[in-house]
Amino acid sequence: MLNAPQSASRADQTLSLNMKLLAHHELAGFGGLGEGMGMQLTSDGRRILWLAHESAPKNFSGVDVTDPQNPKLIVQTELPHMKLRSNSLDVVGNIMVVAYQTTTVGIKPAGIDIFDVSQPETPRLLSHFDCSGPYSRGVHAVWFVDGRYVHMSSGASDFQPRNPLDDQFYRIIDIIDPEKPVEVGRWWYPGTREGDEAPPPPRLPAQFDMGFRTHNTNVFPEQPNRAFIGYIDGGAVVLDISDMKNIKVVSQWNHSPPFNGFTHTVLPLFDRGLWIVSDECVQDNGADWPKLVWVVDSRNEANPVPIGTFPAPPYDAFAKRGGRFGAHNLHENLPGPTSFRSDTIIVGSFFNAGVRVYDTSNPYQVQEIAYFVPGAPKLSPAGAIQLNDVYVDDRRIVYTVDRFTGGLYILEMNI
Amino acid sequence: MTWSRDALAGKIPVTLVTGFLGSGKTTLISKLLLHPDMRRVAVVINEMGEIGIDHDLVTVSSENITLLANGCICCSVRTDLQETLRDLFAQRRVGEVFDFDRVIVETTGLADPAPLVQTLASDTLLAAHYRLDGLITLVDGLHGEGQIDQQTEAVKQIAIADKILVTKTDLTSADHLETLCERIRQLNSQSPIEFIQQGEVDPKRLIDLGLSSSRASLKTLQFLGEALTVDAVSADVTGSGRYLGQRSATHNSAVKTLSLRFTEPFEWLSFSSALELLTTLRGPDLLRLKGIINVDGDPVVIQGVQHIIDTPVKMDRWPSEDKDSRLVFIVRNMELDVIRNLFQAVGAIKSASTSTT
């Protein structure tokens, strides 16, 4: 070739189709966000987007997004020490639940904090539920949408895993009295706990072994007796939680092996008898590719059938762009007045491939209808955008966050 | 009403620029490429050499794609337009080509533009990502009349255009232009006619001629040719309103614009059967079709060129109080009554589930 063609994977490029950036906020230099995104409507008519940071020193930030083109950081809190991350939170009304996970077992604080955020500038701590212990790193992810139960991925003082990677399982905490949280149920993958009758589950090859551990534990008002669990290397698990003291498995599907594990989110589309299941990419430079979003026919609980995958972002363009490339979080159709909900439009974050919007009207032929890939944020150690999570509000405004330094991106879709 | 996706919103609009040999297309395209308002527009041309881009203005180039300093992407056709448009989208998606939000295509002079319009509708990959935003025909201000007299391609290009640009208007007399415009009007009674000189045109005049959203608005009416313009207000030949009429030329009575109105809603099956029958039997003579159909009360916009009808677009609501079905055909060698009778006859045959007899 006489003229060197434009490289296809320039991390400084912004790529967009049918999405427009309304605002970008770097959160006062602490632009590393985790997987906790929740929206509150305050009594004085403001919309506050609560964001959990990915790692220390910051805990969570509150951003006023009443005007999506002019986001304002109104509060940013600190973690008590550096061996800690919050990473996850949810808010219902004026009650916010924040997770704490430690870098090693046996230290504190590990568990959840429950805050009253009626005055968002000054969150008021109501209680702490302790999950620390000799084998526990605390809580990785929380799901709190009905105002009463916190469904979470957590360790416990009395839970000794056979394999240290399997240290978090499903716990249900009742916070009907937010000052007195009480565990009311738990379930773990059989064979992962010391003392289990079941044998330990066979593990993935060492380079992909991320553990038989819960990640997302979602429960929806359409079917409150079901918990939809991304059990990382344990695949997709659906539990009957009608009797929380006696939780049973009703559905299971695992693409691994032969795939590389890490089932992250199971999003049910109730009226269509489908699950949208996302993996999480956890290695840089495409080392654990393919990490995809799957479509599963769930009409028969006893036999979930995968019927397709979302068209992936182009590998050649992104795999070596910098950092992670692949699926991670989806906007999960949260209940409540502030969240977008759709049976067909699914929005996901894909690390260096940005945020992407899909139309699943034909579940056998999902279409990518919009995307936004920001250019590499300043000072990012990955050298490229690493969109970590996404939230879509009832105004169909898309909020997405970078894992390291980029902060918050606010977008509108043309779909 | 619950929100649902706008099927057209996300599609990249494509404008086709056509015109007989010598009508001034090359001049127009060359000037357009350098216009300051061409950022994020991809222009597809036949040959780079033809246009002669000043290399000082080039910032990045590859085999057939050049990024100009004004942000315009210039791309030459390799095999055919279909493949070029597909490649453009794929390259855009991987970041090999900078993002563009619209495409302007220069077609060759002798081309029958109909197949290009049809390609956009019938190629499922193209139809998923692009939509036809307009067909613009250039007519030579000096020689146009003669071309209309002698060349069926020229007639067709004018008949199916969404906008007509008369070029070289500085080189001819006002009288001459008036006659030319009358001839153009006889072939195409609805599309706007504009005059240009030296190929100079603001890109804004070339765009937004098509249906861009399934959310109904004034633009929907404009697309259907119904928004208030001088033409719309002028009396129709039969004197009974703009519909139920036909306009024909004295010189070229083969090409006509036929407008139909139906007050009874259609069932989709009977409407589409009638349309299919018409396209099967007389496809080549149905030069262009646009309309809004009342399908069991719901508004559905249709458009097509010859035998290819675009995917019908169900609008989210009616664009105005008028809920009759309205169709405008540009046809060759066909009579209004033949078409109207066909739709009325087929429309009268209700499907088994609704039939009472």
Side-chain angles (χ1 to χ4, degrees), chain B residues 40 44 56 85 96 106 131 169 172 182 204 216 218 222 242 272 276 300 306 333:
Chain B
R40 295 177 72 102
V44 177
D56 286 346
L85 286 177
E96 269 177 18
E106 174 213 15
R131 62 171 176 87
T169 55
T172 183
E182 267 170 36
K204 290 191 195 47
L218 187 62
Q222 283 169 348
R242 289 195 65 251
S272 57
E276 204 181 310
V300 177
Q306 295 182 290
N333 298 321

Side-chain angles (χ1 to χ4, degrees), chain A residues 1 3-4 6-8 13-18 311-314 317 340 345 356 359 367-369 371 396 414-415, chain B residues 3-7 9-12 40 60-63 89 92-101 128-129 215:
Chain A
M1 256 182 236
N3 299 310
Q6 187 78 351
S7 163
Q13 257 181 310
T14 295
L15 300 182
S16 73
L17 179 71
N18 297 327
F340 174 70
I345 305 298
R356 291 180 181 253
D359 184 345
Q367 286 185 297
E368 178 187 88
I369 61 174
Y371 55 76
R396 291 191 299 283
N414 178 28
I415 58 168
Chain B
W3 176 84
S4 61
R5 191 186 152 200
D6 181 342
K11 298 193 185 183
I12 297 172
R40 295 177 72 102
V60 139
S61 89
S62 69
E63 261 178 43
F89 190 85
R92 184 193 191 289
R93 189 167 176 256
V94 298
E96 269 177 18
V97 164
F98 281 94
D99 289 348
F100 53 88
D101 302 322
H129 298 297
R215 309 216 160 100

Side-chain angles (χ1 to χ4, degrees), chain A residues 189 201-205 208-209 211-212 231-236 253-263 279 288 290-291 294:
Chain A
Y189 200 99
R203 308 198 75 83
L204 291 180
F208 298 123
D209 183 355
F212 284 76
Y231 218 108
I232 301 187
D233 294 349
W253 173 64
N254 197 344
H255 53 45
S256 301
F259 283 85
N260 301 331
F262 220 115
T263 299
D279 299 336
D288 61 354
K291 285 299 173 76
W294 304 76

Side-chain angles (χ1 to χ4, degrees), chain B residues 101-213:
Chain B
D101 302 322
R102 70 175 58 250
V103 182
I104 298 179
V105 179
E106 174 213 15
T107 69
T108 65
L110 273 175
D112 175 358
L116 295 177
V117 176
Q118 290 168 350
T119 296
L120 284 173
S122 56
D123 178 322
T124 49
L125 190 139
L126 293 187
H129 298 297
Y130 294 101
R131 62 171 176 87
L132 179 67
D133 190 46
L135 182 68
I136 298 187
T137 296
L138 269 54
V139 176
D140 189 328
L142 283 171
H143 304 115
E145 246 185 298
Q147 286 162 0
I148 292 171
D149 281 333
Q150 286 151 27
Q151 309 285 354
T152 46
E153 290 88 357
V155 165
K156 194 166 177 192
Q157 286 173 1
I158 292 169
I160 67 175
D162 294 302
K163 181 176 272 200
I164 293 138
L165 298 178
V166 178
T167 61
K168 309 177 194 170
T169 55
D170 50 333
L171 300 177
T172 183
S173 70
D175 280 343
H176 185 92
L177 283 174
E178 207 182 301
T179 322
L180 176 59
C181 285
E182 267 170 36
R183 296 294 308 282
I184 293 172
R185 271 284 158 260
Q186 286 158 3
L187 299 173
N188 187 325
S189 60
Q190 301 195 311
S191 301
I193 301 174
E194 293 179 13
F195 293 169
I196 63 172
Q197 297 163 5
Q198 313 282 340
E200 309 253 344
V201 66
D202 187 330
K204 290 191 195 47
R205 312 289 318 150
L206 305 177
I207 63 172
D208 271 344
L209 301 172
L211 189 67
S212 58
S213 173

Side-chain angles (χ1 to χ4, degrees), chain A residues 396-413:
Chain A
R396 291 191 299 283
I397 303 292
V398 177
Y399 305 86
T400 182
V401 291
D402 182 56
R403 193 180 173 92
F404 295 109
T405 61
L408 173 65
Y409 297 81
I410 302 179
L411 303 144
E412 92 189 331
M413 304 182 281

Side-chain angles (χ1 to χ4, degrees), chain A residues 99-122:
Chain A
Y100 298 110
Q101 180 178 286
T102 54
T103 51
T104 56
V105 296
I107 59 178
K108 290 186 198 225
I112 54 173
D113 271 354
I114 298 160
F115 290 95
D116 173 350
V117 289
S118 340
Q119 289 183 3
E121 287 83 352
T122 48

